[in-house]
Amino acid sequence: MTRRTGMEIAFAAAEAVALCKPDVVAAYPITPNTHIPEHLSDIVADGRIDADFICVESEHSALSACCGASAAGARTFTATSSQGLLFMAEVMPIVSAMRLPVVMAIGNRALSAPINIWNDHSDIMSQRDTGWISVFASNGQEVVDMVIQGFKIAEHRDVLLPLNINLDGFQLTHVVEPMLFPDQEEVERFLPEYKPYATVHPDRVVSMGTLGMPEIFNEAMKAKDMGLINSKKVILEVWREWEEQFGRKHEPIEAYRTEGANVLLLTVGSMGETAEVAIDELRDRKMPAGLLKLKLWRPFPLEELRKAVKGAKVLAVMDRAVSCGGSAGPVCAEVKSALYGEPGCPVIVNYIIGLGGRDVTAEDFIQIVEKAAKADKEKPKEAYEIYGVRGS
Amino acid sequence: MSIVENFDLYAPRLADKEEYFSAGHRACQGCGEALAIRLMCKALGKDTVIINATGCMEVISSLYPTTAWKLPWLHVAFPNSASVGSGVEAGLKVLRRKGRIPDRDVKAVSIGGDGGTVDIGIQALSGAMERGHDLLYVCFDNEAYMNTGIQRSGATPFGASTSTDPVGSVSFGKKAWKKNVAEIMVAHNVPYVATACHSYPIDFMNKVKKARKIKGPSYIHCLSVCPTGWRLLPELAIKAGRLAVETGIFPLYEVDNGQYRMTIRQERLRPVEDYLKLQGRFRHLDPEEIELFQERVNQEYKKLMSKIECLPSWSDL
């Protein structure tokens, strides 16, 4: 029986992982993800799940240990944030190329310097191209859902790729919310036991992680890319199954009050919930504005985006990371390239907001929409604006 | 003659005939490391998973679509064979406990060169040993980054000329002394630590077998002669390994539960010059520098002997 419980979202993430009965968890403390492995270690210490919790000496070793455990055939989980994710960076593209379905929660946090423990998306954006499936949650319920879905997607025989679930540091990790938790039988009905394709075991000898010369490297990269692109079919299928069993719908891009909208906001992560409040307010003022919440970051939902922006005059893309010296923030650059040459493509404007935990209010979104609405007539001079910079 | 020594006389014939590290790999002529790996695999037997750090051995043995490995083998990156090994060990243990793999003992063995062990991999190694995984780590020490072209490592000996710490008009090569990782592992209270060299194959294989049986972490530091990097004729590789031991530069000992024991005893140490003069990397050393080298070796050897003579086993304390 599904139960509704109020708890901190980081704890909820750990509870969701526990429902999936992982075999090996390896993690290293870094704010703000720490409550996830802490709570998981409690669950292991109380014998609620039979897993090995490896208290590694660094994030590099956390992902390396997960890589080894997954290669041995274990269901494997880790979590990190910010610099920790960067310390894992060496191992990130290796895990995906080796087709090891490690699941990771990322409590998104700004990258140093100046050192800052609060939320933005510069950590995951730096790992965008490593070949992982990447999803963003906008609230606690989505975190719970995405963790359980995550193992099923990653371990699917047609996917076999690592997957990360992004939840905004503090804004999500440290917020207490009521969430629905499926019970153990329900999860077991949804999530089959992990059946690895190949493992390091003497009964079936394989060499994993071999040297690839230029003659095969293109092919290896093509195979990895195809694997990620093709995973979308399974992601959609798993989300459909989830909806059938648990009644909650998940989509690559979730639309909120977009009917007849001239201006569309596009957000990633927890700011989507704040933006909903702004859209309600604007609609009350008879302003035709709508919201798109991007949930699936990799593989990027090109088709869904093209369909979702149809009819809008202006698309205002919110980024929570700076691509220094680039043409736009990472999300907007992706959106622009996806929509380039599309007939009836809206004018695209880009605002970079909420860096390093800077508060983003519904009022900010209202101002952004009002500003963006004018872009239809007069295109902004700058390719992107870091919103709310004082003294500029 | 003790039973163990008696056994050694027959041991070569008792060694596993099976080859787990097959011929046809791409190692240089006279490569001591490839030989040492072949011996190690024979001593380990089939119920083994090898976790290999990036380096010569990974490059020469795993050129896709070929492989020299007849044991399950996993390579991930340069600094993490110990942490990947931790994961393999944990994974195998849990899956065995849950009945998802056959109920038998499969040993995780992480290997790396000196760069992957004493420099970039030392953090992962230290963590794995501290956590107490059932993991054997073998360092194949050829005393420089040979795979990338003979650059200096923390395991390069004093006075050796390398491509990043070369001899020049105002330099005689490496000014620092070799990092002693075996002793660092002893300081981790690892139940079994040993030094070894492929030039003493039975001694090495016995140590691997002993470490294989330990239920917990163990560490073997195997000096592996690199004719290419040491500027040495390939046919002298075995001799150079023996001279490293006979001069006391690389003594072969084990530390079993805290108890030091010299496994290859020397009546009298040969002068270090016998070892140094074979190798191009030391060719430039003048008598004064050789004397400095000799003094250091004498001192280190005395230190080791005092541990052998004075330190009891931890279980006797």
Side-chain angles (χ1 to χ4, degrees), chain A residues 23 50 52 55-58 61 64-65 69 72 94 98 202-203 206-211 213, chain B residues 46 62-64 67 73-76 79-80 83 87-88 93 95 97-98 100 102 104 123-124 131:
Chain A
D23 301 306
D50 181 11
D52 228 44
C55 294
V56 281
E57 79 302 324
S58 73
S61 284
S64 300
I94 303 177
M98 291 175 82
D203 286 351
V206 291
S207 292
M208 294 173 82
T210 58
L211 175 73
M213 296 290 275
Chain B
K46 86 175 225 321
S62 79
L63 193 71
Y64 184 86
T67 180
W73 179 89
L74 172 61
H75 158 255
V76 176
N80 60 356
S83 43
V88 169
K93 188 175 64 188
L95 295 177
R97 190 165 71 215
K98 293 184 175 178
R100 302 226 303 271
R104 63 173 207 274
Q123 176 180 321
R131 291 189 296 272

mmCIF file of all heavy atoms in Angstrom, chain A residues 23 50 52 55-58 61 64-65 69 72 94 98 202-203 206-211 213, chain B residues 46 62-64 67 73-76 79-80 83 87-88 93 95 97-98 100 102 104 123-124 131:
data_model
loop_
_atom_site.group_PDB
_atom_site.id
_atom_site.type_symbol
_atom_site.label_atom_id
_atom_site.label_comp_id
_atom_site.label_asym_id
_atom_site.label_seq_id
_atom_site.Cartn_x
_atom_site.Cartn_y
_atom_site.Cartn_z
ATOM 1 N N ASP A 23 22.785 -3.570 -4.006
ATOM 2 C CA ASP A 23 23.768 -4.498 -3.428
ATOM 3 C C ASP A 23 24.959 -3.749 -2.845
ATOM 4 O O ASP A 23 25.494 -4.124 -1.813
ATOM 5 C CB ASP A 23 24.249 -5.472 -4.513
ATOM 6 C CG ASP A 23 23.112 -6.266 -5.110
ATOM 7 O OD1 ASP A 23 22.374 -6.895 -4.334
ATOM 8 O OD2 ASP A 23 22.943 -6.245 -6.345
ATOM 9 N N ASP A 50 20.069 -5.621 2.689
ATOM 10 C CA ASP A 50 21.328 -6.360 2.717
ATOM 11 C C ASP A 50 22.224 -5.794 1.623
ATOM 12 O O ASP A 50 22.150 -6.196 0.470
ATOM 13 C CB ASP A 50 21.043 -7.850 2.471
ATOM 14 C CG ASP A 50 22.317 -8.686 2.514
ATOM 15 O OD1 ASP A 50 23.364 -8.136 2.943
ATOM 16 O OD2 ASP A 50 22.276 -9.858 2.126
ATOM 17 N N ASP A 52 26.285 -3.699 0.856
ATOM 18 C CA ASP A 52 27.591 -3.297 1.356
ATOM 19 C C ASP A 52 27.712 -1.790 1.174
ATOM 20 O O ASP A 52 27.574 -1.296 0.055
ATOM 21 C CB ASP A 52 28.688 -4.019 0.557
ATOM 22 C CG ASP A 52 29.721 -4.625 1.473
ATOM 23 O OD1 ASP A 52 29.302 -5.236 2.474
ATOM 24 O OD2 ASP A 52 30.938 -4.485 1.199
ATOM 25 N N CYS A 55 32.508 3.102 2.635
ATOM 26 C CA CYS A 55 32.861 4.483 2.981
ATOM 27 C C CYS A 55 34.207 4.806 2.354
ATOM 28 O O CYS A 55 35.253 4.652 2.995
ATOM 29 C CB CYS A 55 32.951 4.662 4.495
ATOM 30 S SG CYS A 55 31.390 4.455 5.323
ATOM 31 N N VAL A 56 34.186 5.216 1.123
ATOM 32 C CA VAL A 56 35.424 5.452 0.377
ATOM 33 C C VAL A 56 36.128 6.717 0.849
ATOM 34 O O VAL A 56 35.562 7.505 1.607
ATOM 35 C CB VAL A 56 35.146 5.548 -1.134
ATOM 36 C CG1 VAL A 56 34.972 4.183 -1.738
ATOM 37 C CG2 VAL A 56 33.936 6.424 -1.393
ATOM 38 N N GLU A 57 37.348 6.916 0.357
ATOM 39 C CA GLU A 57 38.153 8.055 0.802
ATOM 40 C C GLU A 57 38.086 9.230 -0.171
ATOM 41 O O GLU A 57 38.762 10.229 0.036
ATOM 42 C CB GLU A 57 39.595 7.591 1.071
ATOM 43 C CG GLU A 57 40.505 7.413 -0.132
ATOM 44 C CD GLU A 57 40.015 6.435 -1.175
ATOM 45 O OE1 GLU A 57 39.408 5.415 -0.816
ATOM 46 O OE2 GLU A 57 40.232 6.704 -2.373
ATOM 47 N N SER A 58 37.269 9.138 -1.207
ATOM 48 C CA SER A 58 37.099 10.259 -2.137
ATOM 49 C C SER A 58 35.953 9.950 -3.080
ATOM 50 O O SER A 58 35.529 8.798 -3.199
ATOM 51 C CB SER A 58 38.371 10.466 -2.972
ATOM 52 O OG SER A 58 38.484 9.424 -3.932
ATOM 53 N N SER A 61 37.052 7.582 -5.817
ATOM 54 C CA SER A 61 36.953 6.180 -5.418
ATOM 55 C C SER A 61 35.502 5.727 -5.295
ATOM 56 O O SER A 61 35.202 4.549 -5.485
ATOM 57 C CB SER A 61 37.697 5.945 -4.097
ATOM 58 O OG SER A 61 39.083 5.930 -4.330
ATOM 59 N N SER A 64 34.561 4.865 -8.717
ATOM 60 C CA SER A 64 35.399 3.728 -9.125
ATOM 61 C C SER A 64 34.900 2.439 -8.469
ATOM 62 O O SER A 64 34.815 1.392 -9.122
ATOM 63 C CB SER A 64 36.864 3.963 -8.723
ATOM 64 O OG SER A 64 37.359 5.118 -9.339
ATOM 65 N N ALA A 65 34.566 2.519 -7.189
ATOM 66 C CA ALA A 65 34.071 1.332 -6.482
ATOM 67 C C ALA A 65 32.728 0.899 -7.066
ATOM 68 O O ALA A 65 32.473 -0.296 -7.237
ATOM 69 C CB ALA A 65 33.939 1.622 -4.983
ATOM 70 N N ALA A 69 31.900 -2.687 -8.626
ATOM 71 C CA ALA A 69 30.785 -3.490 -8.106
ATOM 72 C C ALA A 69 29.784 -3.788 -9.215
ATOM 73 O O ALA A 69 29.278 -4.909 -9.330
ATOM 74 C CB ALA A 69 30.107 -2.756 -6.948
ATOM 75 N N ALA A 72 30.929 -6.403 -11.401
ATOM 76 C CA ALA A 72 30.777 -7.724 -10.785
ATOM 77 C C ALA A 72 29.318 -8.185 -10.824
ATOM 78 O O ALA A 72 29.013 -9.313 -10.459
ATOM 79 C CB ALA A 72 31.284 -7.684 -9.341
ATOM 80 N N ILE A 94 33.793 6.642 -18.478
ATOM 81 C CA ILE A 94 34.215 5.234 -18.522
ATOM 82 C C ILE A 94 33.039 4.348 -18.119
ATOM 83 O O ILE A 94 32.776 3.325 -18.748
ATOM 84 C CB ILE A 94 35.440 4.993 -17.601
ATOM 85 C CG1 ILE A 94 36.599 5.926 -17.995
ATOM 86 C CG2 ILE A 94 35.870 3.541 -17.655
ATOM 87 C CD1 ILE A 94 37.826 5.830 -17.116
ATOM 88 N N MET A 98 31.447 1.602 -20.575
ATOM 89 C CA MET A 98 31.470 0.187 -20.192
ATOM 90 C C MET A 98 30.068 -0.362 -19.987
ATOM 91 O O MET A 98 29.898 -1.518 -19.619
ATOM 92 C CB MET A 98 32.322 -0.008 -18.935
ATOM 93 C CG MET A 98 33.794 0.234 -19.222
ATOM 94 S SD MET A 98 34.808 0.152 -17.746
ATOM 95 C CE MET A 98 35.009 -1.597 -17.603
ATOM 96 N N PRO A 202 35.030 -15.732 -12.939
ATOM 97 C CA PRO A 202 35.771 -16.797 -13.628
ATOM 98 C C PRO A 202 34.910 -17.799 -14.386
ATOM 99 O O PRO A 202 35.422 -18.501 -15.260
ATOM 100 C CB PRO A 202 36.548 -17.474 -12.496
ATOM 101 C CG PRO A 202 36.025 -16.933 -11.226
ATOM 102 C CD PRO A 202 35.362 -15.637 -11.526
ATOM 103 N N ASP A 203 33.618 -17.861 -14.092
ATOM 104 C CA ASP A 203 32.773 -18.818 -14.810
ATOM 105 C C ASP A 203 32.501 -18.392 -16.248
ATOM 106 O O ASP A 203 32.080 -19.207 -17.070
ATOM 107 C CB ASP A 203 31.440 -19.028 -14.065
ATOM 108 C CG ASP A 203 31.646 -19.864 -12.815
ATOM 109 O OD1 ASP A 203 32.770 -20.400 -12.647
ATOM 110 O OD2 ASP A 203 30.716 -19.971 -12.003
ATOM 111 N N VAL A 206 35.764 -12.612 -19.243
ATOM 112 C CA VAL A 206 35.790 -11.506 -20.205
ATOM 113 C C VAL A 206 36.866 -10.502 -19.792
ATOM 114 O O VAL A 206 37.273 -10.455 -18.631
ATOM 115 C CB VAL A 206 34.439 -10.749 -20.269
ATOM 116 C CG1 VAL A 206 33.349 -11.598 -20.890
ATOM 117 C CG2 VAL A 206 34.012 -10.245 -18.900
ATOM 118 N N SER A 207 37.336 -9.740 -20.770
ATOM 119 C CA SER A 207 38.200 -8.590 -20.493
ATOM 120 C C SER A 207 37.346 -7.342 -20.670
ATOM 121 O O SER A 207 36.746 -7.149 -21.721
ATOM 122 C CB SER A 207 39.379 -8.531 -21.473
ATOM 123 O OG SER A 207 40.259 -9.603 -21.237
ATOM 124 N N MET A 208 37.282 -6.503 -19.630
ATOM 125 C CA MET A 208 36.471 -5.282 -19.716
ATOM 126 C C MET A 208 37.373 -4.057 -19.604
ATOM 127 O O MET A 208 38.243 -4.009 -18.750
ATOM 128 C CB MET A 208 35.443 -5.256 -18.579
ATOM 129 C CG MET A 208 34.401 -6.350 -18.688
ATOM 130 S SD MET A 208 33.321 -6.424 -17.248
ATOM 131 C CE MET A 208 32.161 -5.147 -17.618
ATOM 132 N N GLY A 209 37.134 -3.090 -20.465
ATOM 133 C CA GLY A 209 37.920 -1.852 -20.407
ATOM 134 C C GLY A 209 39.210 -1.963 -21.187
ATOM 135 O O GLY A 209 40.261 -1.503 -20.734
ATOM 136 N N THR A 210 39.121 -2.563 -22.372
ATOM 137 C CA THR A 210 40.323 -2.791 -23.170
ATOM 138 C C THR A 210 40.747 -1.532 -23.930
ATOM 139 O O THR A 210 40.026 -0.540 -23.957
ATOM 140 C CB THR A 210 40.094 -3.935 -24.180
ATOM 141 O OG1 THR A 210 38.986 -3.580 -25.000
ATOM 142 C CG2 THR A 210 39.798 -5.245 -23.472
ATOM 143 N N LEU A 211 41.900 -1.629 -24.570
ATOM 144 C CA LEU A 211 42.479 -0.491 -25.301
ATOM 145 C C LEU A 211 41.858 -0.393 -26.695
ATOM 146 O O LEU A 211 41.827 -1.380 -27.429
ATOM 147 C CB LEU A 211 43.994 -0.693 -25.411
ATOM 148 C CG LEU A 211 44.779 0.318 -26.224
ATOM 149 C CD1 LEU A 211 44.893 1.643 -25.495
ATOM 150 C CD2 LEU A 211 46.170 -0.208 -26.528
ATOM 151 N N MET A 213 42.070 1.302 -30.319
ATOM 152 C CA MET A 213 42.928 2.060 -31.250
ATOM 153 C C MET A 213 42.044 2.944 -32.137
ATOM 154 O O MET A 213 40.830 2.769 -32.189
ATOM 155 C CB MET A 213 43.726 1.072 -32.104
ATOM 156 C CG MET A 213 44.693 0.217 -31.295
ATOM 157 S SD MET A 213 46.073 1.161 -30.639
ATOM 158 C CE MET A 213 47.182 1.121 -32.052
ATOM 159 N N LYS B 46 42.586 -19.983 -11.183
ATOM 160 C CA LYS B 46 41.496 -19.476 -12.012
ATOM 161 C C LYS B 46 40.435 -18.650 -11.276
ATOM 162 O O LYS B 46 39.800 -17.789 -11.875
ATOM 163 C CB LYS B 46 40.849 -20.627 -12.798
ATOM 164 C CG LYS B 46 39.749 -21.409 -12.095
ATOM 165 C CD LYS B 46 39.154 -22.405 -13.065
ATOM 166 C CE LYS B 46 37.654 -22.491 -13.085
ATOM 167 N NZ LYS B 46 36.916 -22.404 -11.849
ATOM 168 N N SER B 62 45.758 -5.744 -23.895
ATOM 169 C CA SER B 62 44.307 -5.672 -24.122
ATOM 170 C C SER B 62 43.922 -4.919 -25.385
ATOM 171 O O SER B 62 42.884 -4.280 -25.445
ATOM 172 C CB SER B 62 43.629 -5.003 -22.923
ATOM 173 O OG SER B 62 43.780 -3.599 -22.989
ATOM 174 N N LEU B 63 44.767 -4.995 -26.388
ATOM 175 C CA LEU B 63 44.467 -4.258 -27.625
ATOM 176 C C LEU B 63 43.234 -4.860 -28.288
ATOM 177 O O LEU B 63 43.276 -5.949 -28.838
ATOM 178 C CB LEU B 63 45.680 -4.336 -28.548
ATOM 179 C CG LEU B 63 45.677 -3.399 -29.734
ATOM 180 C CD1 LEU B 63 45.892 -1.969 -29.295
ATOM 181 C CD2 LEU B 63 46.778 -3.799 -30.699
ATOM 182 N N TYR B 64 42.114 -4.125 -28.218
ATOM 183 C CA TYR B 64 40.843 -4.621 -28.749
ATOM 184 C C TYR B 64 40.984 -4.953 -30.233
ATOM 185 O O TYR B 64 41.570 -4.179 -30.961
ATOM 186 C CB TYR B 64 39.760 -3.560 -28.551
ATOM 187 C CG TYR B 64 38.388 -4.011 -28.975
ATOM 188 C CD1 TYR B 64 37.580 -4.713 -28.103
ATOM 189 C CD2 TYR B 64 37.922 -3.753 -30.256
ATOM 190 C CE1 TYR B 64 36.317 -5.148 -28.500
ATOM 191 C CE2 TYR B 64 36.669 -4.184 -30.658
ATOM 192 C CZ TYR B 64 35.879 -4.879 -29.777
ATOM 193 O OH TYR B 64 34.643 -5.311 -30.161
ATOM 194 N N THR B 67 42.965 -10.087 -26.446
ATOM 195 C CA THR B 67 43.302 -9.968 -25.024
ATOM 196 C C THR B 67 44.255 -11.095 -24.652
ATOM 197 O O THR B 67 44.163 -12.190 -25.199
ATOM 198 C CB THR B 67 42.042 -10.000 -24.123
ATOM 199 O OG1 THR B 67 42.456 -9.883 -22.750
ATOM 200 C CG2 THR B 67 41.242 -11.281 -24.285
ATOM 201 N N TRP B 73 39.101 -9.873 -16.299
ATOM 202 C CA TRP B 73 40.020 -8.729 -16.216
ATOM 203 C C TRP B 73 39.247 -7.441 -16.421
ATOM 204 O O TRP B 73 38.357 -7.368 -17.267
ATOM 205 C CB TRP B 73 41.091 -8.924 -17.295
ATOM 206 C CG TRP B 73 42.130 -7.854 -17.402
ATOM 207 C CD1 TRP B 73 43.315 -7.794 -16.726
ATOM 208 C CD2 TRP B 73 42.121 -6.709 -18.283
ATOM 209 N NE1 TRP B 73 44.032 -6.688 -17.123
ATOM 210 C CE2 TRP B 73 43.321 -6.006 -18.067
ATOM 211 C CE3 TRP B 73 41.217 -6.208 -19.217
ATOM 212 C CZ2 TRP B 73 43.636 -4.832 -18.759
ATOM 213 C CZ3 TRP B 73 41.525 -5.047 -19.901
ATOM 214 C CH2 TRP B 73 42.730 -4.365 -19.673
ATOM 215 N N LEU B 74 39.577 -6.443 -15.620
ATOM 216 C CA LEU B 74 38.859 -5.174 -15.664
ATOM 217 C C LEU B 74 39.850 -4.023 -15.560
ATOM 218 O O LEU B 74 40.660 -3.969 -14.634
ATOM 219 C CB LEU B 74 37.860 -5.134 -14.487
ATOM 220 C CG LEU B 74 37.111 -3.846 -14.173
ATOM 221 C CD1 LEU B 74 36.237 -3.408 -15.330
ATOM 222 C CD2 LEU B 74 36.244 -4.041 -12.926
ATOM 223 N N HIS B 75 39.782 -3.143 -16.547
ATOM 224 C CA HIS B 75 40.606 -1.923 -16.486
ATOM 225 C C HIS B 75 39.685 -0.722 -16.509
ATOM 226 O O HIS B 75 38.766 -0.657 -17.326
ATOM 227 C CB HIS B 75 41.577 -1.875 -17.674
ATOM 228 C CG HIS B 75 42.060 -0.481 -17.971
ATOM 229 N ND1 HIS B 75 41.599 0.241 -19.045
ATOM 230 C CD2 HIS B 75 42.913 0.323 -17.293
ATOM 231 C CE1 HIS B 75 42.168 1.436 -19.033
ATOM 232 N NE2 HIS B 75 42.956 1.525 -17.986
ATOM 233 N N VAL B 76 39.888 0.238 -15.608
ATOM 234 C CA VAL B 76 39.047 1.432 -15.595
ATOM 235 C C VAL B 76 39.867 2.690 -15.863
ATOM 236 O O VAL B 76 39.650 3.385 -16.837
ATOM 237 C CB VAL B 76 38.244 1.546 -14.282
ATOM 238 C CG1 VAL B 76 37.441 2.842 -14.249
ATOM 239 C CG2 VAL B 76 37.282 0.361 -14.138
ATOM 240 N N PRO B 79 44.407 5.946 -11.656
ATOM 241 C CA PRO B 79 44.653 6.017 -10.201
ATOM 242 C C PRO B 79 43.774 5.125 -9.347
ATOM 243 O O PRO B 79 43.809 5.244 -8.136
ATOM 244 C CB PRO B 79 44.330 7.481 -9.899
ATOM 245 C CG PRO B 79 43.379 7.913 -10.945
ATOM 246 C CD PRO B 79 43.439 6.963 -12.082
ATOM 247 N N ASN B 80 42.936 4.261 -9.934
ATOM 248 C CA ASN B 80 41.875 3.680 -9.120
ATOM 249 C C ASN B 80 41.780 2.159 -9.134
ATOM 250 O O ASN B 80 40.712 1.635 -8.826
ATOM 251 C CB ASN B 80 40.534 4.294 -9.530
ATOM 252 C CG ASN B 80 40.212 4.034 -10.987
ATOM 253 O OD1 ASN B 80 41.012 3.457 -11.714
ATOM 254 N ND2 ASN B 80 39.041 4.447 -11.424
ATOM 255 N N SER B 83 40.481 1.150 -5.742
ATOM 256 C CA SER B 83 39.072 1.422 -5.421
ATOM 257 C C SER B 83 38.127 0.623 -6.312
ATOM 258 O O SER B 83 37.074 0.181 -5.851
ATOM 259 C CB SER B 83 38.764 2.921 -5.469
ATOM 260 O OG SER B 83 39.343 3.530 -6.579
ATOM 261 N N GLY B 87 35.335 -2.268 -5.050
ATOM 262 C CA GLY B 87 33.968 -2.474 -5.537
ATOM 263 C C GLY B 87 33.746 -3.885 -6.031
ATOM 264 O O GLY B 87 32.703 -4.493 -5.755
ATOM 265 N N VAL B 88 34.719 -4.423 -6.757
ATOM 266 C CA VAL B 88 34.597 -5.803 -7.254
ATOM 267 C C VAL B 88 34.481 -6.750 -6.061
ATOM 268 O O VAL B 88 33.609 -7.621 -6.018
ATOM 269 C CB VAL B 88 35.810 -6.189 -8.139
ATOM 270 C CG1 VAL B 88 35.816 -7.682 -8.430
ATOM 271 C CG2 VAL B 88 35.796 -5.391 -9.448
ATOM 272 N N LYS B 93 31.184 -10.316 -2.926
ATOM 273 C CA LYS B 93 30.818 -10.760 -1.566
ATOM 274 C C LYS B 93 29.301 -10.716 -1.366
ATOM 275 O O LYS B 93 28.701 -11.687 -0.894
ATOM 276 C CB LYS B 93 31.522 -9.832 -0.554
ATOM 277 C CG LYS B 93 31.393 -10.274 0.883
ATOM 278 C CD LYS B 93 32.208 -9.375 1.800
ATOM 279 C CE LYS B 93 31.674 -7.952 1.782
ATOM 280 N NZ LYS B 93 32.535 -6.998 2.498
ATOM 281 N N LEU B 95 26.880 -10.533 -3.695
ATOM 282 C CA LEU B 95 26.150 -11.415 -4.605
ATOM 283 C C LEU B 95 26.259 -12.876 -4.167
ATOM 284 O O LEU B 95 25.320 -13.654 -4.309
ATOM 285 C CB LEU B 95 26.659 -11.232 -6.040
ATOM 286 C CG LEU B 95 26.400 -9.847 -6.655
ATOM 287 C CD1 LEU B 95 26.997 -9.752 -8.048
ATOM 288 C CD2 LEU B 95 24.911 -9.524 -6.702
ATOM 289 N N ARG B 97 26.672 -13.801 -1.016
ATOM 290 C CA ARG B 97 25.828 -13.883 0.189
ATOM 291 C C ARG B 97 24.357 -14.025 -0.182
ATOM 292 O O ARG B 97 23.607 -14.746 0.461
ATOM 293 C CB ARG B 97 26.051 -12.599 1.000
ATOM 294 C CG ARG B 97 25.466 -12.595 2.379
ATOM 295 C CD ARG B 97 26.053 -11.444 3.197
ATOM 296 N NE ARG B 97 25.578 -10.141 2.775
ATOM 297 C CZ ARG B 97 26.324 -9.030 2.787
ATOM 298 N NH1 ARG B 97 27.604 -9.067 3.161
ATOM 299 N NH2 ARG B 97 25.815 -7.885 2.419
ATOM 300 N N LYS B 98 23.952 -13.346 -1.251
ATOM 301 C CA LYS B 98 22.546 -13.386 -1.669
ATOM 302 C C LYS B 98 22.242 -14.562 -2.595
ATOM 303 O O LYS B 98 21.123 -14.670 -3.094
ATOM 304 C CB LYS B 98 22.184 -12.073 -2.377
ATOM 305 C CG LYS B 98 22.193 -10.853 -1.464
ATOM 306 C CD LYS B 98 21.731 -9.598 -2.196
ATOM 307 C CE LYS B 98 21.622 -8.411 -1.254
ATOM 308 N NZ LYS B 98 21.213 -7.181 -1.952
ATOM 309 N N ARG B 100 23.338 -15.116 -5.635
ATOM 310 C CA ARG B 100 23.167 -14.784 -7.051
ATOM 311 C C ARG B 100 24.369 -15.202 -7.900
ATOM 312 O O ARG B 100 24.301 -15.181 -9.128
ATOM 313 C CB ARG B 100 22.897 -13.274 -7.217
ATOM 314 C CG ARG B 100 21.654 -12.804 -6.453
ATOM 315 C CD ARG B 100 20.754 -11.917 -7.284
ATOM 316 N NE ARG B 100 21.430 -10.741 -7.793
ATOM 317 C CZ ARG B 100 21.500 -9.577 -7.139
ATOM 318 N NH1 ARG B 100 20.952 -9.447 -5.949
ATOM 319 N NH2 ARG B 100 22.087 -8.552 -7.686
ATOM 320 N N PRO B 102 27.769 -18.330 -7.839
ATOM 321 C CA PRO B 102 28.113 -19.574 -7.135
ATOM 322 C C PRO B 102 28.832 -19.317 -5.811
ATOM 323 O O PRO B 102 29.594 -18.361 -5.679
ATOM 324 C CB PRO B 102 29.033 -20.289 -8.135
ATOM 325 C CG PRO B 102 28.662 -19.737 -9.459
ATOM 326 C CD PRO B 102 28.258 -18.314 -9.225
ATOM 327 N N ARG B 104 31.474 -19.762 -3.992
ATOM 328 C CA ARG B 104 32.879 -20.120 -3.817
ATOM 329 C C ARG B 104 33.751 -18.869 -3.795
ATOM 330 O O ARG B 104 33.332 -17.783 -4.224
ATOM 331 C CB ARG B 104 33.341 -21.117 -4.872
ATOM 332 C CG ARG B 104 33.316 -20.684 -6.282
ATOM 333 C CD ARG B 104 33.967 -21.762 -7.166
ATOM 334 N NE ARG B 104 34.497 -21.114 -8.338
ATOM 335 C CZ ARG B 104 33.780 -20.861 -9.430
ATOM 336 N NH1 ARG B 104 32.522 -21.226 -9.501
ATOM 337 N NH2 ARG B 104 34.337 -20.245 -10.453
ATOM 338 N N GLN B 123 46.283 7.252 -2.858
ATOM 339 C CA GLN B 123 45.114 7.570 -2.031
ATOM 340 C C GLN B 123 44.098 6.418 -2.076
ATOM 341 O O GLN B 123 43.605 5.973 -1.036
ATOM 342 C CB GLN B 123 44.478 8.856 -2.533
ATOM 343 C CG GLN B 123 43.205 9.200 -1.805
ATOM 344 C CD GLN B 123 42.582 10.493 -2.308
ATOM 345 O OE1 GLN B 123 43.283 11.452 -2.601
ATOM 346 N NE2 GLN B 123 41.285 10.515 -2.409
ATOM 347 N N ALA B 124 43.828 5.945 -3.294
ATOM 348 C CA ALA B 124 42.870 4.841 -3.444
ATOM 349 C C ALA B 124 43.413 3.590 -2.755
ATOM 350 O O ALA B 124 42.675 2.854 -2.104
ATOM 351 C CB ALA B 124 42.608 4.573 -4.922
ATOM 352 N N ARG B 131 40.208 0.214 4.769
ATOM 353 C CA ARG B 131 38.859 -0.333 4.914
ATOM 354 C C ARG B 131 38.856 -1.844 5.130
ATOM 355 O O ARG B 131 37.873 -2.406 5.583
ATOM 356 C CB ARG B 131 38.010 -0.003 3.670
ATOM 357 C CG ARG B 131 37.658 1.454 3.526
ATOM 358 C CD ARG B 131 36.639 1.670 2.421
ATOM 359 N NE ARG B 131 37.115 1.308 1.107
ATOM 360 C CZ ARG B 131 37.779 2.105 0.265
ATOM 361 N NH1 ARG B 131 38.042 3.338 0.623
ATOM 362 N NH2 ARG B 131 38.179 1.687 -0.920
#
